[in-house]
């Protein structure tokens, strides 16, 4: 495969031309949200200029065009995840809403008091709190899969957590805080061997690697558009058709019904529409489809290779800094460099490095239990995307050294 044309890619991201505090922007907060290429931005102008209309209900040209574009995205997502059937693709606002959908629909229909859900210590709060809420409301038990010193899931401990009450495993594919890539296919095989289902939070995997939900044998798989070069407000829940079909709706309203009556029971639409109550984020969903096509054109394998080089370069660069400790040293990592520095508050580092034009993230990364395990309440996190360059990595390392010199 030909090498990545990073200059050509950068030219498609207008935001990369801007300056921050008089310096060229170096955007290393891609794990929080990625930037959008022109083709995605243009989708909004095109939609609102030409065919803005509510979907699925009109009998007029604009409504037909909007519906066709929205439903075409379902096919784009199906292909992107290699799902068997486009009815298995539910549009949500993002990963958080997708997980809450599973918790509230599948969870309430399938979990009894005393049933157990396994989550990992690597989870984002969005894959912890929905299960804790169910624990309060239904009396289920949430158990935690531990990690080792590198931030790698302990598979022996995972196997040992199963018993006859285990119903669901909820784990991420890639950790947003450390970048650990989890062996999701193996986790799924083990879960299924115990008769449990598995939900995979793919928010941090979809930007960096090809995902095949059938190869993984995922029961549910969630991701957010805004981390895959798409807009905010549109995300996806994949669910196996037989599971979605058996699940009750979780939100009621227009679009999700077959017929509504006060005299006989209201009946619901077929999947996936049963789970898409109300007017969705139509332009955002269409733009998500454009983003996924863009990513597929660039090639996820090529993106993954490029980002791995950036990560290796950054890891080597910061490792030379005295008193800097990396968190998350798994052999399999994607896109994320998390660290703390002796004698320097993470927040000070992030604020000062912003003055030099570098955007990184600091804080708990919505993974407080994981950080607590490593004895910290915040880290600095640099995270990479396809448009980042080795020159930016070098500039970041130099800026970091300068900032640490200032605060120490
Ligand atoms: N899971 C992971 C691993 C994430 O990184 C994020 C976003 N930081 C989420 C879930 C939540 O995604 P969203 O806010 O788009 O719903």
């Amino acid at each position: 495969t030909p090498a990545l044309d990073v200059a050509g890619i950068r030219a498609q991201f207008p935001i990369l031309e801007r300056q921050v505090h008089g310096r060229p922007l170096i955007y290393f907060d891609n794990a929080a949200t990625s930037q959008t290429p022109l083709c995605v931005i243009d989708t909004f102008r095109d939609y609102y200029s030409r065919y803005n209309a509510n979907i699925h209900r009109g009998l007029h040209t604009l409504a037909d065009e909007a519906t066709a574009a929205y439903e075409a995205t379902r096919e784009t997502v199906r292909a992107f995840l290699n799902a068997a059937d486009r009815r298995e693709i539910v549009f949500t606002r993002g990963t958080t809403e997708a997980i809450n959908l599973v918790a509230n629909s599948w969870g309430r229909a399938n979990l009894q008091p005393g049933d157990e859900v396994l989550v990992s210590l690597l989870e984002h709060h969005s894959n912890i709190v929905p299960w804790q809420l169910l624990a309060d409301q239904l009396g289920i038990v949430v158990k935690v899969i531990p990690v080792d010193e590198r931030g790698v899931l302990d598979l022996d401990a995972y196997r040992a957590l199963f018993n006859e009450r285990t119903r669901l495993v909820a784990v991420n594919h890639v950790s947003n805080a450390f970048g650990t890539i989890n062996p999701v296919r193996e986790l799924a095989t083990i879960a299924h061997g115990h008769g449990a289902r598995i939900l995979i939070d793919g928010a941090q995997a979809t930007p960096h690697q090809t995902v095949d939900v059938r190869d993984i044998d995922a029961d549910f798989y969630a991701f957010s558009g805004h981390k895959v070069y798409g807009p905010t407000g549109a995300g996806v829940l994949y669910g196996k058709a037989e599971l979605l079909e058996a699940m009750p709706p979780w939100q009621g309203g227009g679009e999700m019904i077959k017929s509504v009556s006060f005299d006989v029971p209201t009946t619901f639409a077929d999947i996936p529409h049963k789970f898409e109550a109300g007017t969705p984020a139509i332009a955002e969903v269409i733009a998500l489809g454009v983003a996924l096509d863009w990513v597929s054109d660039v090639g996820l394998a090529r993106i993954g290779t490029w980002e791995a080089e950036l990560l290796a370069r950054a890891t080597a660069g910061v490792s030379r800094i005295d008193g800097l400790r990396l968190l998350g040293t798994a052999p399999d990592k994607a896109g994320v460099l998390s660290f703390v520095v002796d004698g320097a508050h993470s927040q000070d580092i992030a604020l000062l490095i912003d003055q030099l034009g570098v955007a990184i993230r600091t804080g708990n990364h919505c993974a407080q239990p994981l950080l607590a395990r490593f004895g910290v309440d915040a880290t600095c996190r640099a995270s990479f995307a396809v448009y980042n360059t080795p020159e930016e990595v070098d500039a970041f390392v130099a800026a970091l050294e300068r900032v640490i010199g200032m605060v120490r």
Side-chain angles (χ1 to χ4, degrees):
T1 45
L4 193 99
D5 172 19
V6 72
I9 286 172
R10 287 181 70 84
Q12 298 175 53
F13 289 81
I15 207 167
L16 298 178
E17 287 158 26
R18 73 161 285 182
Q19 308 248 312
V20 169
H21 302 297
R23 293 167 188 268
L25 167 69
I26 296 180
Y27 187 77
F28 280 177
D29 194 18
N30 295 288
T33 203
S34 52
Q35 301 301 343
T36 42
L38 271 174
C39 59
V40 173
I41 299 170
D42 288 347
T43 302
F44 285 89
R45 171 174 274 270
D46 186 45
Y47 173 80
Y48 286 110
S49 310
R50 293 202 309 111
Y51 63 105
N52 175 29
N54 213 327
I55 55 168
H56 296 142
R57 17 186 149 178
L59 269 176
H60 59 78
T61 302
L62 269 55
D64 288 347
E65 288 177 10
T67 304
Y70 182 89
E71 289 301 327
T73 299
R74 220 183 285 280
E75 172 56 24
T76 303
V77 175
R78 184 208 63 71
F80 185 76
L81 295 177
N82 195 32
D85 188 331
R86 76 184 70 161
R87 295 179 311 134
E88 300 179 312
I89 306 301
V90 179
F91 290 118
T92 66
R93 282 192 297 127
T95 306
T96 303
E97 190 176 67
I99 296 170
N100 278 277
L101 191 168
V102 175
N104 284 287
S105 171
W106 183 88
R108 286 174 190 283
N110 290 281
L111 298 175
Q112 306 295 326
D115 281 349
E116 298 183 2
V117 171
L118 307 185
V119 304
S120 92
L121 196 58
L122 287 172
E123 296 319 301
H124 187 279
H125 295 162
S126 62
N127 203 17
I128 298 174
V129 182
W131 310 111
Q132 291 180 326
L133 292 173
L134 273 195
D136 288 345
Q137 293 158 358
L138 300 183
I140 64 161
V141 177
V142 177
K143 289 187 166 174
V144 184
I145 311 159
V147 300
D148 67 15
E149 279 303 311
R150 303 167 301 168
V152 174
L153 288 183
D154 180 339
L155 288 188
D156 291 332
Y158 172 62
R159 284 192 191 85
L161 280 169
F162 285 90
N163 62 40
E164 67 288 347
R165 300 305 304 266
T166 313
R167 298 283 176 264
L168 179 75
V169 174
V171 288
N172 60 40
H173 194 164
V174 173
S175 150
N176 64 304
F178 287 3
T180 310
I181 302 174
N182 290 318
V184 284
R185 193 195 302 153
E186 198 179 346
L187 298 177
T189 303
I190 295 167
H192 292 148
H194 288 89
R197 298 294 182 179
I198 187 163
L199 174 150
I200 298 166
D201 166 358
Q204 296 293 342
T206 40
H208 306 298
Q209 63 180 83
T210 309
V211 171
D212 182 331
V213 289
R214 277 188 283 178
D215 179 56
I216 297 167
D217 200 11
D219 295 303
F220 300 104
Y221 196 97
F223 72 95
S224 298
H226 70 98
K227 297 189 198 273
V228 203
Y229 308 100
T232 55
V236 169
L237 174 70
Y238 158 82
K240 285 180 181 165
E242 73 266 23
L243 293 175
L244 293 179
E245 272 164 356
M247 283 159 54
W250 78 304
Q251 291 178 338
E255 309 256 9
M256 52 76 71
I257 52 91
K258 265 200 185 103
S259 73
V260 177
S261 164
F262 288 117
D263 304 318
V264 294
T266 289
T267 54
F268 305 117
D270 295 328
I271 63 165
H273 305 291
K274 179 169 72 172
F275 299 109
E276 294 180 6
T279 303
I282 302 166
E284 285 79 357
V285 165
I286 296 168
L288 166 61
V290 173
L292 297 183
D293 282 338
W294 184 85
V295 168
S296 300
D297 281 351
V298 178
L300 273 162
R302 208 187 278 153
I303 292 174
T305 306
W306 178 256
E307 291 169 344
E309 284 170 22
L310 297 176
L311 180 62
R313 192 179 185 98
T315 305
V318 303
S319 297
R320 288 192 292 270
I321 297 177
D322 194 36
L324 184 145
R325 172 161 73 107
L326 285 174
L327 287 98
T329 50
D332 279 338
K333 274 182 63 170
V336 168
L337 190 74
S338 220
F339 57 90
V340 292
V341 181
D342 285 346
H345 282 296
S346 296
Q347 202 175 342
D348 294 340
I349 293 175
L351 284 173
L352 286 168
I353 208 165
D354 176 64
Q355 294 292 320
L356 302 177
V358 184
I360 62 169
R361 170 138 309 208
T362 183
N364 62 44
H365 315 299
C366 298
Q368 281 183 349
L370 177 66
L371 266 56
R373 152 79 171 79
F374 287 84
V376 297
D377 55 17
T379 75
C380 290
R381 182 187 70 185
S383 53
F384 308 108
V386 64
Y387 41 69
N388 292 132
T389 66
E391 293 75 26
E392 287 183 315
V393 168
D394 294 347
F396 155 71
V397 174
L400 184 61
E401 285 177 311
R402 205 173 134 194
V403 160
I404 291 169
M406 285 158 70
V407 294
R408 263 195 187 142

